Amino acid sequence: MDPVIIVGAGPVGLTLALALARQEVPCVVLDEGPGKDEPRPARTVVLREDTAALVERLTGVPLSEAGSRWAGWRSMRRKQVTREITFDVTDPGAPHTDPAASPHTDPAPLHIAQHVLTGILRGALAAERLVKVAVNSRLDAVEQEPSGVTAHTRGPNGTWWRGSYLVGCDGPRSTVRKLQDIRFPGRTAVERHAVAALRTELPWPGEALLHRMPPWRTAGPSAGEVTGRPLPDGVWRLDWLLPPGKDLVTPELLVSRIRETLAGWSGGTTPPYELLDTGVHTVHHRLARRWRVGRVFLAGDAAHLLGALGTQELDEGLRDADNLAWKLALTWHHGPHEALLDSYQAERRVIVSGRLRAADQALPLLRGGGGPLSYVRGSAKGNDALFADGHLGRGVLGTPGAYADSPLAPRHLEGEAPVDTLPGAPVTDVRVTAEDGSFVPLRDRLGRGALLVVLIAPGTGVWERKHWVTAGIMPRLAAAVTALPHPAELLVAETYPGAAPHTVLLVRPDGHLVTALTGVRPSDLYAAAEATLGGPAMTGAEATAGSH
């Protein structure tokens, strides 16, 4: 079968290529550039712990060594600190072994320069036998037919490429989207920020901060806000919210902002600093009408643009890649699964549109400075929480979406059991015993194309697997897993948040919970697995009745 063609060699396209290769699917990445990225310290991305873990799993590179995990977050308004959060960064990748033993602590976001991130991804792809990266290859035509897709590139090595599917990861001005005549409605220039990357010392080493209405700025629309986010080696990225309009950001204006901001944070005296890079970041809000046209898909900035109020755009793009990779891989290996492929748009577009809607609803309240809600008692505290949500990947502006209404969700199953993770939400990263007897984080078993079946069995962690693998309910569960309509790996965990002993979890290859069942229920487990693959979303009893 022909490889999957990926158009675009940014973080989303490179991540998708690696995710497919890990599931034995060959890919061709069409890179319109020379195959390397210009160092731009002022162009950075913030990743939640789960999306950073996705990249680490695919590349084998600890991102904490290339980026900065924030030690804390503070929100300030005028001269007052309104919110402080401390993160535990001692071992951000460690799974939860006993969630009830200590209070929940939010994992620290990871801040990394984008060219560093793409360099790590490119390095991993260079050693990948199933991926070909074609540099200086600019797409200019796409043709579809029932058996595949053909793409033409122009440039020094212009040629035709034959593929099974094609994914446009080619950014906001996506050629793939335009060639498929997909509309991209939304709002232009929702926010504009002047950006500077500089090396200096600030009073809050390792902490990110958002300062609204700083006292050294005059009142009015230009008072704005400034965000400071640390990077490795004493480097900071500072963003100043600009007033509406298209006023030119001159070097003199930017230097003035830098000096007054550093002085304001450092007691009135500007500390020494080294200016490394500058830019203007304009935020647009757009959402493609369709994310799939036949064998062509959109992902990342080609499918959606968001980013106001600190929302993490790349996080959503990486989740697009994670969601689509296992579905394309299953189809590539086992033949057409149209309902499964259709679910990519149904799941991801709903999540992103909800994120955009939440940001658009919050903007008038947080930026407008008026309206009845701004005078409600306690509204300032709520506003601070909203501001933090986008930057920290929490709440309606940032929490990873749950595919609760997914077309892949099974219908009511008689043996459903309550756990702290809702169906469709990402599972908690607990320690599990793998089939070879090793103890590994649950997250390490994701992205291999297999379903995961996790038995919650307290006490198993103190014994070797060989001593209990044939005891109790294990033989019946192992037989039920073997009978599933798709390869699945049977794992055992001592505990899981909210789960009773002998609860059985069914987890998708991208780490989202399908269902939790009480004990071994082969018919329910089969029905849930079948629904996850895009098959009939019905219980085993209904399937039997329907076959007569």
Side-chain angles (χ1 to χ4, degrees), residues 208-265:
L209 71 151
L210 172 66
H211 199 162
R212 300 171 59 204
M213 302 180 69
W216 55 86
R217 299 296 301 168
T218 58
S222 63
E225 64 191 43
V226 57
T227 306
R229 288 171 280 197
L231 286 161
D233 302 322
V235 176
W236 290 79
R237 169 174 166 167
L238 304 186
D239 291 57
W240 293 268
L241 179 67
L242 297 172
K246 298 182 179 180
D247 294 342
L248 183 65
V249 179
T250 63
E252 294 78 14
L253 172 64
L254 194 53
V255 169
S256 174
R257 288 287 177 95
I258 292 172
R259 289 182 175 277
E260 68 180 9
T261 299
L262 296 184
W265 286 343

Side-chain angles (χ1 to χ4, degrees), residues 462-543:
V462 299
W463 299 98
E464 291 186 40
R465 186 178 176 113
K466 66 181 181 181
H467 294 307
W468 47 259
V469 71
T470 58
I473 65 174
M474 280 296 293
R476 289 183 59 224
L477 182 57
V481 170
T482 302
L484 292 178
H486 186 72
E489 182 178 9
L490 177 56
L491 305 167
V492 178
E494 279 210 84
T495 184
Y496 188 87
H502 295 172
T503 298
V504 174
L505 311 179
L506 180 63
V507 182
R508 297 175 7 161
D510 59 354
H512 288 254
L513 180 67
V514 178
T515 189
L517 302 171
T518 56
V520 181
R521 295 177 173 267
S523 61
D524 279 353
L525 191 62
Y526 189 97
E530 190 177 46
T532 303
L533 305 177
M538 58 182 68
T539 65
E542 290 173 330

Side-chain angles (χ1 to χ4, degrees), residues 2-147:
D2 294 318
V4 173
I5 300 173
I6 298 172
V7 183
V12 174
L14 298 175
T15 297
L16 178 60
L18 276 173
L20 287 170
R22 295 293 184 267
Q23 298 174 66
E24 298 297 320
V25 177
C27 306
V28 173
V29 179
L30 303 182
D31 183 357
E32 71 176 42
K36 59 181 180 180
D37 299 278
E38 177 188 0
R40 289 294 310 275
R43 189 178 186 189
T44 65
V45 295
V46 178
L47 302 180
R48 279 183 49 92
E49 190 241 355
D50 59 328
T51 45
L54 166 66
V55 176
E56 291 178 337
R57 186 173 72 244
L58 293 173
T59 63
V61 177
L63 294 187
S64 294
E65 298 177 1
S68 172
R69 289 193 183 271
W70 299 343
W73 166 270
R74 65 179 57 219
S75 300
M76 302 172 66
R77 190 171 187 269
R78 296 191 175 94
K79 297 181 179 181
Q80 180 183 8
V81 176
T82 58
R83 191 178 187 87
E84 285 187 275
I85 300 172
T86 300
F87 299 116
D88 181 4
V89 296
T90 54
D91 189 5
H96 299 271
T97 55
D98 187 1
S102 59
H104 175 70
T105 301
D106 286 341
L110 177 85
H111 189 207
I112 186 171
Q114 183 163 317
H115 70 273
V116 173
L117 178 62
T118 54
I120 291 171
L121 291 164
R122 288 183 187 275
L125 280 176
E128 184 51 65
R129 60 180 177 82
L130 291 176
V131 179
K132 174 182 175 61
V133 179
V135 301
N136 299 315
S137 297
R138 185 178 181 85
L139 182 78
D140 62 5
V142 173
E143 297 179 0
Q144 287 198 65
E145 55 199 60
S147 60

Side-chain angles (χ1 to χ4, degrees), residues 180-206:
Q180 298 304 305
D181 196 26
I182 298 174
R183 292 183 59 201
F184 199 39
R187 301 172 58 194
T188 300
V190 177
E191 291 181 351
R192 291 175 70 237
H193 297 262
V195 183
L198 48 91
R199 182 175 285 110
T200 190
E201 290 187 13
L202 292 179
W204 315 283

Side-chain angles (χ1 to χ4, degrees), residues 48 50-51 306 308-312 315-316 319 351 354-356 358-359 385-386 388-401:
R48 279 183 49 92
D50 59 328
T51 45
L306 65 158
L309 304 176
T311 48
Q312 298 156 14
D315 248 30
E316 297 299 345
R319 292 191 182 105
I351 295 298
R355 192 88 76 227
L356 281 167
L386 274 174
D389 283 348
H391 288 277
L392 302 180
R394 309 190 311 180
V396 294
L397 294 178
T399 299

